[in-house]
Amino acid sequence: MMAVSDIEEWKLDHSKAVSPQLRNVLRTRIIRNDLRPMSRLSEPELAKEYGVSRQPVREAFITLVEEGLLEVRPQRGTYVKRIDYEAVLNARFVREAVEADIVCKLAAEGSAALVKDLRGQISHQRAVADDTPEHFMELDEHFHRTLARAAGVGRSWDFLAQIKSQMDRVRFLTFEEFHISKLIDQHEQVADAIEQKSASRVEDAMRTHLREILSSLPRVQKLYPDHFEDSRGAIPGKSAQNSRRRIS
Amino acid sequence: MMAVSDIEEWKLDHSKAVSPQLRNVLRTRIIRNDLRPMSRLSEPELAKEYGVSRQPVREAFITLVEEGLLEVRPQRGTYVKRIDYEAVLNARFVREAVEADIVCKLAAEGSAALVKDLRGQISHQRAVADDTPEHFMELDEHFHRTLARAAGVGRSWDFLAQIKSQMDRVRFLTFEEFHISKLIDQHEQVADAIEQKSASRVEDAMRTHLREILSSLPRVQKLYPDHFEDSRGAIPGKSAQNSRRRIS
DNA sequence: ACTTCCCCACTTCCATACAAGTCAACACAA
DNA sequence: TTGTGTTGACTTGTATGGAAGTGGGGAAGT
């Protein structure tokens, strides 16, 4: 829908409030690795670039600091944070816990209309699997959001979206590490299990699905070591992230 | 530790950055119902009250809007949001899912030192049970944070803290609705189950513990209807919040 | 050559001024 | 009395100017 190169040229609508727009633009640029880790974002520079004053830029920074995408060192500069291995693992852990409960609710209450909707989305996903990865990620986002809304906890997904950015940064580093067709197959297994109203199967399917990133994360870190915080993860032996339930 | 009345007189340390302090003060005042729902918070007024300019106040507002505690209507005013019934239910749902997985991990990996720490905290909780409710809530916060850290997902608790404020507002409305001694007993059941390394029992204990608010929430809403959003919740029949697992 | 100190460019943070929109009260006409 | 138009005191959003702090480069002294 929107290629990476276009992001750099996004213009702001001066008839609306500028700060929120700027916040979204910068967040997208960071997640898509257009703004590299450790690079400095000076307020006046970005202000000139987008034709606004420093204040909206400042206010946009605040939220991004809260999301762990930026780090401001007072009187020194504002920098794009490197990917925090621990933060990724924690975000993934939270996401697995929440979405596991979501699909369990759906196995109990899910309607046939939902299953039909999901299957339509899945076929749509297959159609764009070989398209740009950005396109699939949008559909993936929509798929998981649909599950949350169907379970009656749509606002929970809004919360998850805040921490998901940590995981998305990893994805955008190397799409090759993520086999899209495999992810779509897992989506299908989730839909199947919901249709069969099997709570245990749908839970296993979702937990397996959300653990895919665990296998690729160490390789991504090896490939782009300077994109990651120097913390542990270099010693990812048994990273205390194996969740409670043995999968199949 | 800090009585409600003291909050209004919190002064800011002008040697450090002002915005974060102001943010914490305002958040606390909102959660503790010192700043009432629907009341207007004008930037220049608060600026004068705390002896700073409008800009730090504005920046403090941004985060609180993100947390769903404030609502700013452009060119009209900034208002304390009423408690959103749906948001409380969703926050509770997320918390249950995450903390259930946390204690399951602890049942598998938990150490004896952890159990000893928890029991110490519990006896401390009993000691202050008849003290001010604020004091118990601090200990309660510490207890749950300890569990997360022991499970190796300490940052996950930082994530949860963002949405927990929605639940805390309900608690601070009526402490009488929450029987502290009962909550402490449930803490003890969690500690017991961890010691016994029983995943199923500790999960049930935690889920039961975190569902306490569900029984009191409708009563609190009845008692303070104007503190709540006018949404559903007035029709809380089967509010789609009964989670996946039947308890005991 | 090496250490020490100072100055200056640069940053974020705060204060202040201006712009633009909203809403209520009020004057005024029918 | 009622309906209408307008003014003006509010609000938040944006722009800009200092204040305080950081760090590097260069000059001076040993």
Side-chain angles (χ1 to χ4, degrees):
Chain A
M1 161 173 275
M2 183 71 72
V4 177
S5 59
D6 296 341
I7 301 173
E8 310 170 17
E9 327 210 349
W10 269 1
K11 288 308 171 208
L12 305 179
D13 181 2
H14 281 258
S15 69
K16 301 193 185 80
V18 174
S19 303
Q21 304 177 60
L22 204 52
R23 162 174 38 194
N24 291 331
V25 170
L26 293 179
R27 170 172 31 222
T28 304
R29 289 185 65 179
I30 294 174
I31 290 177
R32 301 199 175 185
N33 201 30
D34 176 45
L35 293 172
R36 296 297 184 79
M38 293 301 289
S39 63
R40 208 181 50 170
L41 299 186
S42 84
E43 291 178 359
E45 194 172 324
L46 280 173
K48 249 188 299 181
E49 182 176 343
Y50 287 97
V52 295
S53 87
R54 297 187 345 253
Q55 214 55 46
V57 179
R58 226 183 118 65
E59 299 183 355
F61 281 0
I62 294 178
T63 313
L64 300 175
V65 168
E66 212 69 15
E67 289 186 33
L69 297 178
L70 287 184
E71 175 185 12
V72 32
R73 282 180 277 194
Q75 273 70 31
R76 282 199 245 181
T78 304
Y79 301 86
V80 177
K81 277 197 70 169
R82 285 183 292 195
I83 299 176
D84 190 329
Y85 206 100
E86 285 284 324
V88 176
L89 292 179
N90 277 272
R92 194 214 63 80
F93 175 81
V94 170
R95 221 190 131 179
E96 175 185 323
V98 175
E99 296 211 52
D101 272 21
I102 285 176
V103 291
C104 282
K105 277 170 62 72
L106 292 179
E109 319 165 356
S111 67
L114 170 65
V115 176
K116 187 177 180 182
D117 181 11
L118 295 179
R119 296 207 182 282
Q121 289 188 33
I122 290 172
S123 62
H124 192 184
Q125 289 165 14
R126 291 203 192 281
V128 305
D130 299 327
D131 204 356
T132 67
E134 291 92 345
H135 199 168
F136 168 73
M137 282 194 62
E138 287 178 15
L139 297 181
D140 181 70
E141 172 105 9
H142 181 58
F143 182 82
H144 288 271
R145 181 186 295 274
T146 301
L147 294 176
R149 293 170 68 101
V153 289
R155 325 235 339 203
S156 300
W157 179 260
D158 297 334
F159 167 70
L160 285 184
Q162 284 186 12
I163 60 179
K164 199 170 83 72
S165 56
Q166 297 287 342
M167 302 171 61
D168 289 339
R169 289 185 77 186
V170 179
R171 284 197 165 182
F172 267 98
L173 264 184
T174 60
F175 276 117
E176 302 75 21
E177 290 286 336
F178 297 91
H179 312 89
I180 293 185
S181 64
K182 184 176 182 181
L183 297 179
I184 299 178
D185 289 343
Q186 293 173 340
H187 284 177
E188 195 144 34
Q189 290 177 16
V190 170
D192 289 343
I194 292 177
E195 190 172 34
Q196 300 163 3
K197 299 191 182 304
S198 167
S200 62
R201 288 188 56 180
V202 75
E203 180 178 358
D204 286 351
M206 180 57 82
R207 289 187 184 270
T208 301
H209 179 49
L210 294 178
R211 281 177 198 176
E212 282 299 317
I213 195 177
L214 284 179
S215 63
S216 54
L217 183 53
R219 288 200 301 275
V220 175
Q221 190 199 22
K222 285 276 190 301
L223 282 172
Y224 300 88
D226 49 336
H227 282 62
F228 282 81
E229 209 80 26
D230 56 340
S231 68
R232 35 234 164 272
I235 333 137
K238 42 163 182 44
S239 69
Q241 279 296 330
N242 314 321
S243 188
R244 76 177 200 261
R245 184 158 307 189
R246 204 92 237 93
I247 295 286
S248 68
Chain B
M1 161 175 277
M2 183 74 71
V4 175
S5 59
D6 296 340
I7 300 172
E8 309 170 17
E9 326 212 347
W10 270 359
K11 287 308 171 208
L12 305 179
D13 181 2
H14 280 258
S15 68
K16 300 194 185 79
V18 172
S19 303
Q21 304 178 59
L22 204 51
R23 162 175 33 191
N24 290 331
V25 170
L26 292 180
R27 172 177 22 227
T28 303
R29 289 185 64 180
I30 294 174
I31 291 178
R32 301 198 174 184
N33 201 31
D34 176 44
L35 293 173
R36 295 299 185 78
M38 293 301 290
S39 63
R40 208 181 49 174
L41 300 186
S42 88
E43 293 177 359
E45 193 172 325
L46 279 173
K48 250 187 298 183
E49 180 176 345
Y50 287 98
V52 294
S53 88
R54 276 183 49 217
Q55 221 54 47
V57 179
R58 262 185 78 74
E59 299 181 357
F61 280 1
I62 294 178
T63 313
L64 299 176
V65 168
E66 214 69 16
E67 290 186 34
L69 297 178
L70 287 184
E71 176 184 11
V72 32
R73 280 180 277 196
Q75 272 70 32
R76 284 200 236 185
T78 304
Y79 300 86
V80 177
K81 278 197 68 170
R82 285 183 292 193
I83 299 177
D84 190 329
Y85 206 100
E86 285 284 323
V88 175
L89 292 180
N90 278 272
R92 193 214 63 81
F93 175 80
V94 169
R95 223 190 130 180
E96 174 184 323
V98 174
E99 296 212 53
D101 272 21
I102 285 176
V103 292
C104 282
K105 277 170 62 71
L106 292 178
E109 319 164 356
S111 67
L114 170 65
V115 176
K116 187 176 179 183
D117 181 10
L118 295 180
R119 296 207 183 281
Q121 289 188 32
I122 290 172
S123 62
H124 192 183
Q125 288 165 13
R126 292 203 191 281
V128 305
D130 299 327
D131 204 356
T132 67
E134 290 91 345
H135 199 167
F136 168 73
M137 282 196 64
E138 287 179 15
L139 297 181
D140 181 69
E141 173 105 10
H142 181 59
F143 182 83
H144 288 271
R145 182 186 295 275
T146 301
L147 294 176
R149 294 169 69 102
V153 289
R155 325 243 328 210
S156 300
W157 179 259
D158 297 332
F159 295 149
L160 287 184
Q162 287 184 13
I163 58 177
K164 200 170 83 72
S165 56
Q166 297 286 343
M167 300 170 62
D168 288 339
R169 289 184 78 186
V170 179
R171 284 198 166 180
F172 266 98
L173 263 184
T174 58
F175 276 117
E176 301 75 21
E177 290 287 336
F178 298 90
H179 313 89
I180 293 184
S181 63
K182 185 177 183 181
L183 298 179
I184 300 178
D185 289 343
Q186 294 173 339
H187 284 177
E188 195 144 33
Q189 291 176 16
V190 170
D192 290 343
I194 291 177
E195 190 172 33
Q196 301 164 3
K197 298 190 182 305
S198 167
S200 62
R201 287 188 54 179
V202 75
E203 180 177 358
D204 287 349
M206 180 56 82
R207 288 186 185 271
T208 301
H209 178 50
L210 294 178
R211 282 178 197 175
E212 281 299 317
I213 195 178
L214 283 180
S215 63
S216 54
L217 184 53
R219 287 199 302 275
V220 175
Q221 190 198 24
K222 285 274 190 302
L223 282 172
Y224 300 88
D226 47 338
H227 283 63
F228 282 81
E229 210 79 24
D230 56 341
S231 68
R232 35 234 168 272
I235 333 138
K238 41 160 181 47
S239 70
Q241 279 293 333
N242 314 321
S243 189
R244 76 176 200 262
R245 186 157 306 191
R246 205 88 241 94
I247 294 287
S248 68

